[in-house]
């Protein structure tokens, strides 16, 4: 069973978290999203009221999406509800305001023992127009930025180019090395930076959240609403890489370690072909967050590496050349220990021992030990 990624949206009051969340919901395609918020008031309440209640503080957004209002103590219970296969949820998004400190939220998700969900990265929303004032009012801003996997610099339409350059330089110093900063206005970021959008199919019967938002835009005279997603997507470049030849695990990890800050997301699957590790390794990276998940090949499925790299200001041909250099013509001769770098980023249920990596502390909690977001960022015990 594939686990559901849980993405945390964090940021202080007024930064635009809810605007980003509504934008993601309104441009989700056919993706079924589970949403966890503190209360329903900030989401498009009228749209949800039309979509109808499903009980127990959960609201149907239509089209398979659900929203639940919780406090921190209820989080695990609602993640379990949203992950129920009956809902067929593809991704869960948590709006962190009022629920918990973002660092605590990350720690809870990494330590979560429910195999149906997995931590999918933390996105910190920053108000560009109030950046200095926010840091003065909330000194913990710096600490939050230090554990972010992706930073959205929102409201860039309210500052000039020189101010944006100054803030981006400050963010680069405050964040972990290589953390990408995505500029946005009105919370419009490409959902593909965070999750895969399934093809949209016409809604039958109950209107979806996306349908209702589109109607609202038309009613308000915002006739270019349908163009927003395409307009946003145009700000990023997408590079595709396919290889029938296996990739060397050590070379591929080295490629990931030195990936440029403008490379926001990597998704797809990798074929390593190392003896004992011939599975298809699904890879998911958002910013510096990285996760591998091994899956068996389907019957007759060709052994291929297929990757999509999404970024801005990156050198596509150079990235493809680097990936070409990761090819391994004779993977069957590779030693099993060559996979240790990959296996460090494979989620394991609590209590399952790591593979035979002598550098891995066998007494350490596997989730804590294996999560790169906790290696690149401060130790969760220090949160």
């Amino acid at each position: 069973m594939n686990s559901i990624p849980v993405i945390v949206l964090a940021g202080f009051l007024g930064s635009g978290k809810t605007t980003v969340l509504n934008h993601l919901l309104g441009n989700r395609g056919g993706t079924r999203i589970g949403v966890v918020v503190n209360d329903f008031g900030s989401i498009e309440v009228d749209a949800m009221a039309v979509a109808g209640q499903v009980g127990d503080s959960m609201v149907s957004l239509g089209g398979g999406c659900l929203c639940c209002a919780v406090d921190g103590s209820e989080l695990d219970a609602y993640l379990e509800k949203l992950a129920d296969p009956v809902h067929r949820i593809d991704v869960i998004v948590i709006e962190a305001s009022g629920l918990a400190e973002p660092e605590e939220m990350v720690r809870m998700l990494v330590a979560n023992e429910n195999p149906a969900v997995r931590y999918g990265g933390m996105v910190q929303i920053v108000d560009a127009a109030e950046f200095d004032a926010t840091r003065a009012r909330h000194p913990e801003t710096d600490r939050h930025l230090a554990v972010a996997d992706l930073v959205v610099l929102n409201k860039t339409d309210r500052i000039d180019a020189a101010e944006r350059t100054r803030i981006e330089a400050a963010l680069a110093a405050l964040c972990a090395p290589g953390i990408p900063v995505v500029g946005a206005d009105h919370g419009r970021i490409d959902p593909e930076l965070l999750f895969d959008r399934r093809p949209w199919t016409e809604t039958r019967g109950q209107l979806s959240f996306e349908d209702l938002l589109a109607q609202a835009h038309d009613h308000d005279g915002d006739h270019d609403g349908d163009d927003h997603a395409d307009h946003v997507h145009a700000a990023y470049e997408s590079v595709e890489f396919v290889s029938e030849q296996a990739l060397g695990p050590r070379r591929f990890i080295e490629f990931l370690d030195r990936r440029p800050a403008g490379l926001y997301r990597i998704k797809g699957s990798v074929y390593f072909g190392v003896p004992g590790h011939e599975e298809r390794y699904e890879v998911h990276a958002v910013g510096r967050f990285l996760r591998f998940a091994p899956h068996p090949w389907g019957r007759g499925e060709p052994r291929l590496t297929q990757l999509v790299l999404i970024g801005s200001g990156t050198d596509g041909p150079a990235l493809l050349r680097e990936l070409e250099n990761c090819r391994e013509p004779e993977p069957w001769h590779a030693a099993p220990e060559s996979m240790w770098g990959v296996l460090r980023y494979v989620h394991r249920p609590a209590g399952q021992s790591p593979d035979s990596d002598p550098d891995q502390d066998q007494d350490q909690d596997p989730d804590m030990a294996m999560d790169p977001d906790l290696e690149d960022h401060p130790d969760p015990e220090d949160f």
Side-chain angles (χ1 to χ4, degrees), residues 19-75:
T19 305
V20 170
L21 177 55
N22 282 327
H23 174 75
L24 294 176
L25 287 166
N27 295 276
R28 63 181 179 82
T31 304
R32 300 167 74 93
I33 303 177
V35 181
V36 178
V37 295
N38 228 59
D39 62 75
F40 295 135
S42 55
I43 308 298
E44 302 278 353
V45 179
D46 292 341
M48 292 198 303
V50 173
Q53 296 279 346
V54 296
D56 285 302
S57 298
M58 296 183 74
V59 169
S60 170
L61 300 181
C65 294
L66 296 174
C67 184
C68 53
V70 306
D71 62 31
S73 64
E74 299 173 311
L75 180 60

Side-chain angles (χ1 to χ4, degrees), residues 4-9 36 75-76 78-80 92-96 99-115 117-122 149 289 291 347-348 365 367-368 371 373-374 380 383:
I4 301 172
V6 181
I7 297 167
V8 177
L9 289 184
V36 178
L75 180 60
D76 283 348
Y78 275 94
L79 288 178
E80 185 173 354
I92 296 172
V93 180
I94 299 176
E95 186 181 348
L99 289 172
E101 281 284 303
E103 301 99 320
E104 176 66 16
M105 185 78 66
V106 172
R107 189 185 66 80
M108 290 169 61
L109 291 170
V110 169
N112 192 296
E113 297 185 10
N114 184 351
V117 297
R118 57 181 168 83
Y119 174 57
M122 186 189 112
D149 299 296
F289 175 78
R291 174 81 76 192
H347 174 76
R348 294 190 181 91
D365 182 286
D367 282 330
M368 298 298 185
D371 249 282
D373 57 289
L374 299 179
F383 288 168

Side-chain angles (χ1 to χ4, degrees), residues 20-353:
V20 170
L21 177 55
N22 282 327
H23 174 75
L24 294 176
L25 287 166
N27 295 276
R28 63 181 179 82
T31 304
R32 300 167 74 93
I33 303 177
V35 181
V36 178
V37 295
N38 228 59
D39 62 75
F40 295 135
S42 55
I43 308 298
E44 302 278 353
V45 179
D46 292 341
M48 292 198 303
V50 173
Q53 296 279 346
V54 296
D56 285 302
S57 298
M58 296 183 74
V59 169
S60 170
L61 300 181
C65 294
L66 296 174
C67 184
C68 53
V70 306
D71 62 31
S73 64
E74 299 173 311
L75 180 60
D76 283 348
Y78 275 94
L79 288 178
E80 185 173 354
K81 283 189 176 185
L82 289 170
D84 190 316
V86 71
H87 300 311
R88 293 185 289 127
I89 294 294
D90 298 306
V91 61
I92 296 172
V93 180
I94 299 176
E95 186 181 348
S97 57
L99 289 172
E101 281 284 303
E103 301 99 320
E104 176 66 16
M105 185 78 66
V106 172
R107 189 185 66 80
M108 290 169 61
L109 291 170
V110 169
N112 192 296
E113 297 185 10
N114 184 351
V117 297
R118 57 181 168 83
Y119 174 57
M122 186 189 112
V123 181
Q124 183 76 18
I125 315 297
V126 173
D127 184 339
E130 298 290 330
F131 178 68
D132 295 325
T134 300
R135 288 185 71 197
R137 285 195 306 270
H138 303 284
E140 63 271 31
T141 298
D142 295 3
R143 182 161 44 85
H144 294 178
L145 287 166
V147 295
D149 299 296
L150 180 72
V151 175
V152 174
L153 183 60
N154 196 26
K155 307 183 186 180
T156 54
D157 55 312
R158 295 176 54 188
I159 59 173
D160 60 27
E163 178 69 353
R164 178 170 176 173
T165 299
R166 181 187 72 85
I167 294 173
E168 288 178 342
L171 291 171
L174 292 168
C175 296
I179 293 297
V181 176
V182 180
D185 62 87
H186 299 91
R188 295 172 186 149
I189 64 170
D190 190 342
E192 290 280 349
L193 296 180
L194 303 179
F195 56 81
D196 293 338
R197 281 189 292 185
R198 295 183 182 275
W200 184 86
T201 55
E202 183 179 354
T203 305
R204 294 183 179 275
Q206 184 185 52
L207 288 176
S208 73
F209 190 89
E210 205 162 9
D211 297 328
L212 292 161
L213 282 179
Q215 286 187 1
H217 286 314
D218 290 342
H219 183 267
D220 292 339
D222 183 6
H223 297 295
D224 65 344
D226 290 340
D227 295 332
H228 287 329
D230 293 337
H231 190 82
V232 170
H233 190 73
Y236 311 110
E237 300 98 33
S238 177
V239 176
E240 296 185 7
F241 174 78
V242 178
S243 174
E244 296 182 1
Q245 202 171 66
L247 300 192
R250 286 175 173 157
R251 289 196 291 275
F252 186 60
I253 288 294
E254 289 172 359
F255 165 78
L256 294 174
D257 285 344
R258 64 175 181 266
R259 63 192 186 272
L263 184 55
Y264 301 141
R265 187 176 180 212
I266 301 173
K267 61 179 181 176
S269 59
V270 185
Y271 172 52
F272 295 114
V274 175
H277 302 280
E278 292 93 348
E279 307 100 319
R280 172 176 61 87
Y281 278 79
E282 180 183 298
V283 60
H284 169 71
V286 175
R288 305 309 295 177
F289 175 78
L290 175 63
R291 174 81 76 192
F292 285 99
H295 298 285
W297 296 98
R299 179 174 295 180
E301 183 178 2
R303 271 50 173 172
L304 291 173
T305 290
Q306 300 182 80
L307 297 171
V308 177
L309 299 87
I310 302 171
S312 178
T314 55
D315 185 340
L319 290 173
L320 290 175
R321 284 194 298 271
E322 288 192 56
L323 286 169
E324 293 282 354
N325 290 334
C326 293
R327 294 177 188 264
E328 174 53 62
E330 298 182 330
W332 50 87
H333 290 323
E337 55 266 28
S338 66
M339 286 293 295
W340 286 343
V342 172
L343 297 178
R344 295 175 60 246
Y345 298 100
V346 173
H347 174 76
R348 294 190 181 91
Q352 181 180 331
S353 62

